[in-house]
């Protein structure tokens, strides 16, 4: 099964297309959004999402957030004496989303399309793909966040139109301009 993942700076989510419609996949707490936060305690136990965010209030030095901005760099985050790169922390969020999707869907999830900010360069995109691989996913495609939103909007539109889609995320602001004509969607421009 393939899923789509918005690996966000602040929150992340997963979705799938089945039974003729798109579905946002709830996490193990029943929420559609999973905070992009990782915490590691002194025993090496890893916490992801809401639990990690709440734990970060008491243990801020054992918790990392907003690490997506460091994708593709050499920056390391030290949590309970262990060093992590941004793609390793992102892989923990992706693995959590993958596991939640498998429980919800009742089948193994092996592939994903992951959205990234429009401004991500090649190194940042490769780091995102690596994070997906570390999470046990085959990353079929990396797609710009506003383009993903625009495709979701235009997937059932047949009337010819040009549209501009804004993606005002927790840490980014991107835009894509698309041309939709007879069921064909062409990305004319994207920027972030």
């Amino acid at each position: 099964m393939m899923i789509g993942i918005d690996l966000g700076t602040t929150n992340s989510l997963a979705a799938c297309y089945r039974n003729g419609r798109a579905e946002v996949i709830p996490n193990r707490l029943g929420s559609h959004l999973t905070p992009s936060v990782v915490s590691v305690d002194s025993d090496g136990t890893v916490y992801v999402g809401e639990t990690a965010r709440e734990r970060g209030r008491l243990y801020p030095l054992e918790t990392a957030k907003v690490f997506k901005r460091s994708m593709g760099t050499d920056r390391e985050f030290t949590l309970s004496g262990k060093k992590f790169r941004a793609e390793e922390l992102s892989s923990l969020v992706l693995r959590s989303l993958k596991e939640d999707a498998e429980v919800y869907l009742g089948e193994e999830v092996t592939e994903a399309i992951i959205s990234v900010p429009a401004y991500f360069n090649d190194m940042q995109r490769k780091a995102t793909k690596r994070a997906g691989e570390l999470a046990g996913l085959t990353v079929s495609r990396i797609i710009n966040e506003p383009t993903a939103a625009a495709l979701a909007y235009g997937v059932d539109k047949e009337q010819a139109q040009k549209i501009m889609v804004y993606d005002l995320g927790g840490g980014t602001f991107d835009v894509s301009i698309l041309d939709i004509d007879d069921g064909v969607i062409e990305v004319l421009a994207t920027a972030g």
Side-chain angles (χ1 to χ4, degrees):
M1 170 64 114
M2 178 186 289
I3 61 174
I5 297 175
D6 177 6
L7 180 60
T9 305
T10 307
N11 292 293
S12 297
L13 65 84
C16 67
Y17 188 82
R18 66 178 184 168
N19 302 324
R21 65 185 189 87
E23 280 182 72
V24 176
I25 298 169
N27 63 25
R28 61 197 81 192
L29 299 176
S31 175
H32 289 142
L33 294 176
T34 298
S36 299
V37 181
V38 175
S39 187
V40 179
D41 71 16
S42 57
D43 295 333
T45 303
V46 175
Y47 303 89
V48 176
E50 188 63 41
T51 307
R53 184 169 63 185
E54 290 301 317
R55 193 172 184 285
R57 295 174 200 260
L58 295 174
Y59 304 99
L61 299 178
E62 296 178 0
T63 305
K65 55 186 174 182
V66 195
F67 42 82
K68 178 176 143 181
R69 291 183 178 160
S70 298
M71 293 291 276
T73 70
D74 291 330
R75 180 176 176 196
E76 292 183 324
F77 299 80
T78 303
L79 306 177
S80 293
K82 186 173 180 189
K83 294 187 183 297
F84 296 88
R85 291 176 54 140
E87 59 263 30
E88 293 169 318
L89 293 170
S90 293
S91 77
L92 296 170
V93 174
L94 292 170
R95 183 179 307 277
S96 178
L97 294 169
K98 174 187 183 301
E99 291 169 356
D100 290 344
E102 289 174 336
V103 169
Y104 179 75
L105 298 169
E107 62 183 288
E108 184 180 13
V109 172
T110 57
E111 290 183 73
I113 295 171
I114 303 174
S115 66
V116 298
Y119 69 83
F120 260 29
N121 63 31
D122 190 52
M123 298 237 340
Q124 291 168 305
R125 291 169 190 272
K126 285 180 179 174
T128 303
K129 184 174 183 184
R130 177 76 181 125
E133 292 166 351
L134 289 171
L137 293 164
T138 299
V139 180
S140 300
R141 185 164 295 203
I142 299 290
I143 187 169
N144 290 339
E145 290 165 352
T147 301
L151 291 173
Y153 166 79
V155 74
D156 62 349
K157 304 292 186 247
E158 293 185 21
Q159 178 184 357
Q161 55 185 309
K162 282 189 177 41
I163 63 170
M164 181 166 39
V165 177
Y166 295 93
D167 177 13
L168 183 57
T172 58
F173 179 51
D174 298 333
V175 63
S176 283
I177 299 174
L178 286 87
D179 185 33
I180 302 173
D181 193 5
D182 199 25
V184 176
I185 301 171
E186 180 183 0
V187 178
L188 300 175
T190 189

